[in-house]
Amino acid sequence: MKRVGSAKLYVSVSLLLPAACLFIWRTAWWPIVVFVVWSAITIVLWMYSERKEQRDRQARLGHALQTSAIRTLNHHRHDWMNDLQVLYGYIRMNKQDKAVQYVEGIRERMIAESRIAKLGVPSLVTYLQSFRTMTHSLQLHVVIDGELDLEELPIDKNGVAETLIDLMNMYRFGMKQRTGEPAKLTLQLARDDKSLHAVFFYDGEWNDIDDALHKIKQRLRNSPLQPISSEQSLAELPLKAELRG
């Protein structure tokens, strides 16, 4: 990345040489030819550098997505193995009531994950599904009221998704690390005829509450999601996005 940036800088600066020739030999014809040829070569090299930089960015992004997907699958596999071991233990001990209760918990968890997968915006879905692989200090619980597909709503869906992701990152990086039980963050999503509602509930400590509130206020300034109340709280942050039309 740095090498590509340096090459683009050198290519740009190199134009000063034929430009200087034009200034020094104003009446000669050859500086014009040199300048035109040099400019053409510079444009070609610049375009090559741009394309290489774009390919490198795409390669890094693809690698990051693959790594995130592998981590998420490993976490799901670990959870499934734990579930199977618990169920196997209940079955061996002939505790049918416990087994049925545990299966019901698995079913509810699958319903919640299915609703996340149907949110419609890939960046938000991927972030929510892979959150457990990012940190062990903060537990995220997502509650979605019914079937919610942001793609079907007349709102800036990408703006909403980016805002939600940024806010969750602010909670993740702004929280105070503690031993024992992890902090808990709940995101509730719902909609009515006029608005999309998002509410954050946080149970934990902060490194700097004033700084966190300032950053959240700045992030929401031009966001489709706006605070419902003028008094913002990190423990409970209700937001809404008005539906267009």
Side-chain angles (χ1 to χ4, degrees):
M1 181 71 175
K2 291 183 178 179
R3 288 197 298 269
V4 173
S6 299
K8 290 166 66 177
L9 177 62
Y10 295 149
V11 167
S12 301
V13 173
S14 70
L15 279 173
L16 294 175
L17 182 59
C21 292
L22 277 175
F23 181 77
I24 296 172
W25 291 283
R26 298 180 182 179
T27 58
W29 60 269
W30 63 267
I32 299 176
V33 176
V34 171
F35 182 80
V36 171
V37 173
W38 200 297
S39 298
I41 295 174
T42 300
I43 292 173
V44 171
L45 291 176
W46 183 277
M47 292 176 61
Y48 172 78
S49 299
E50 280 286 330
R51 290 177 180 175
K52 188 176 187 306
E53 187 175 356
Q54 185 177 5
R55 287 196 300 269
D56 291 343
R57 282 198 301 266
Q58 291 176 345
R60 288 194 301 273
L61 178 60
H63 182 267
L65 290 174
Q66 291 171 357
T67 302
S68 176
I70 291 172
R71 288 203 196 102
T72 302
L73 287 174
N74 284 336
H75 269 262
H76 282 301
R77 179 184 57 81
H78 181 72
D79 291 342
W80 295 332
M81 290 299 297
N82 286 341
D83 291 336
L84 287 174
Q85 289 175 357
V86 172
L87 284 174
Y88 182 66
Y90 285 147
I91 292 172
R92 286 194 61 184
M93 292 184 292
N94 200 27
K95 294 184 177 181
Q96 295 183 3
D97 293 341
K98 289 285 187 179
V100 171
Q101 184 179 358
Y102 197 83
V103 169
E104 183 63 23
I106 295 175
R107 188 184 72 85
E108 292 177 358
R109 196 167 70 237
M110 292 299 101
I111 291 174
E113 292 184 0
S114 175
R115 289 179 177 176
I116 290 175
K118 294 177 181 178
L119 282 174
V121 183
S123 59
L124 180 60
V125 172
T126 302
Y127 182 89
L128 294 176
Q129 290 182 337
S130 62
F131 189 88
R132 286 180 297 172
T133 68
M134 302 177 190
T135 177
H136 298 289
S137 302
L138 179 64
Q139 288 184 350
L140 175 65
H141 184 48
V142 182
V143 180
I144 301 174
D145 184 15
E147 299 291 332
L148 179 61
D149 187 349
L150 298 181
E151 289 282 354
E152 297 178 351
L153 301 183
I155 57 173
D156 179 7
K157 55 185 179 297
N158 291 321
V160 168
E162 290 172 3
T163 301
L164 292 175
I165 291 172
D166 288 345
L167 290 177
M168 284 183 280
N169 281 331
M170 288 179 184
Y171 277 99
R172 183 160 65 99
F173 295 119
M175 59 167 288
K176 187 175 183 179
Q177 300 288 337
R178 64 183 184 183
T179 57
E181 287 293 320
K184 294 178 175 60
L185 178 64
T186 300
L187 169 61
Q188 291 185 354
L189 295 173
R191 63 156 297 184
D192 55 31
D193 294 336
K194 297 182 179 180
S195 307
L196 169 71
H197 296 268
V199 186
F200 285 97
F201 296 95
Y202 176 70
D203 180 12
E205 300 178 3
W206 282 88
N207 289 319
D208 190 334
I209 294 179
D210 293 335
D211 180 64
L213 284 172
H214 175 72
K215 288 180 178 178
I216 289 176
K217 184 177 180 180
Q218 291 293 110
R219 180 59 185 87
L220 294 175
R221 178 165 294 177
N222 296 315
S223 168
L225 282 169
Q226 291 297 310
I228 294 177
S229 173
S230 58
E231 296 183 1
Q232 298 177 15
S233 168
L234 296 174
E236 182 176 346
L237 181 62
L239 309 168
K240 72 174 181 178
E242 299 290 343
L243 302 183
R244 294 191 293 261

